[in-house]
Amino acid sequence: MSHSTKRWTPTHGAPYRPMPYRPARMPADESLVRAAELRERMAQRRTVRQFAADPVPEQVVKDAIACAATAPSGAHQQPWTFVLVKDPAVRGRIRAAAEAEERVSYEGRLGEEWLAALRPLGTDEVKPHLTDAPQLIVVFQQRHWLGEDGSKRKHYYVDESVGIAVGMLLSALHLSGLAALVHTPSPMRFLQEVLGRPANEKAFAVIPVGYPAPNCEVPDLTRKSLDQVLVEI
């Protein structure tokens, strides 16, 4: 196994330098088998809010983050930072701040329509997953590139780029045998302060990672079928 050791540097204004890309073509029969297996495995993915305290292999999480970092991005600016939080004290600070914001939200800031949409999921302002899960991945979006000399360059399609990366992260974690949850306390400004992130970064999501607790339960939900989401023309 080999990983590139080249360091990314800003390419703003650099000339276009194409290089050959000749991946081996997968035979159709093998592609069909792989696609069916992947569809079945991904259908088993569930959002988990009850985590075991058991440690997880750190390299598995780092490899999943590396997979996420291969996501396409606007102008290839890769406008993301993944902060892996293992320190229980820091996770405790994040939980306390998140629950303070969520309490305000559930007491009325969200509005009845949003609360009604959440009710079938059984969620509330108490967020034990932020301290029960052995690791948190806090994803930040970089609104602009910030050089060591203080120079700035705008990033493009930041929301779309980071959203794709988070989707790939969830897939990589699930396929590696780990459970996860996308948590988005609103507002999330406290995460920048707690984690000491620079001014050009804005919190996008908090993702607890671990194994489901032995008594884990999830909502009895039904996903849309393929014919409900696919339009063929």
Side-chain angles (χ1 to χ4, degrees):
M1 183 186 299
S2 63
H3 305 295
S4 174
T5 57
K6 284 182 65 177
R7 300 285 295 179
W8 177 85
T9 55
T11 55
H12 186 88
Y16 173 57
R17 295 191 179 94
M19 60 180 288
Y21 179 62
R22 307 287 187 271
R25 179 175 295 188
M26 184 181 295
D29 56 350
E30 182 181 352
S31 183
L32 285 166
V33 170
R34 288 203 189 185
E37 290 176 347
L38 179 61
R39 179 176 177 178
E40 181 63 27
R41 290 188 67 187
M42 290 304 296
Q44 297 168 12
R45 188 204 63 77
R46 291 301 303 262
T47 290
V48 166
R49 291 182 170 83
Q50 296 166 303
F51 287 88
D54 304 336
V56 297
E58 188 172 319
Q59 190 58 48
V60 172
V61 178
K62 289 182 176 179
D63 283 342
I65 293 172
C67 289
T70 69
S73 60
H76 192 56
Q77 294 302 293
Q78 305 161 85
W80 43 63
T81 301
F82 302 89
V83 180
L84 182 58
V85 184
K86 297 170 286 182
D87 187 322
V90 178
R91 287 188 280 122
R93 291 176 61 195
I94 290 174
R95 177 179 174 179
E99 288 185 338
E101 293 292 354
E102 294 281 26
R103 195 170 300 112
V104 176
S105 294
Y106 277 87
E107 288 176 355
R109 181 164 59 189
L110 293 180
E112 178 52 34
E113 185 174 357
W114 193 343
L115 289 172
L118 290 172
R119 205 159 287 133
L121 304 180
T123 62
D124 57 28
E125 69 274 13
V126 182
K127 307 298 179 184
H129 45 264
L130 295 175
T131 48
D132 290 349
Q135 297 187 14
L136 300 179
I137 302 171
V138 185
V139 185
F140 286 85
Q141 53 179 204
Q142 302 170 5
R143 305 310 300 180
H144 56 268
W145 175 77
L146 188 63
E148 293 182 0
D149 60 354
S151 57
K152 298 179 182 180
R153 288 207 178 94
K154 181 181 177 181
H155 284 162
Y156 301 92
Y157 296 103
V158 175
D159 292 340
E160 295 85 349
S161 301
V162 179
I164 294 169
V166 167
M168 292 178 63
L169 175 60
L170 296 175
S171 298
L173 290 168
H174 172 68
L175 295 174
S176 300
L178 299 179
L181 158 74
V182 178
H183 181 55
T184 53
S186 179
M188 292 193 282
R189 288 187 294 272
F190 67 89
L191 289 164
Q192 188 177 34
E193 178 181 346
V194 170
L195 298 175
R197 300 311 305 160
N200 67 317
E201 294 187 357
K202 178 183 177 183
F204 186 84
V206 182
I207 303 176
V209 178
Y211 299 112
N215 61 343
C216 181
E217 294 181 333
V218 296
D220 183 10
L221 301 176
T222 300
R223 292 188 172 103
K224 291 182 178 180
S225 60
L226 183 61
D227 67 287
Q228 290 178 295
V229 301
L230 171 65
V231 176
E232 297 185 80
I233 300 175

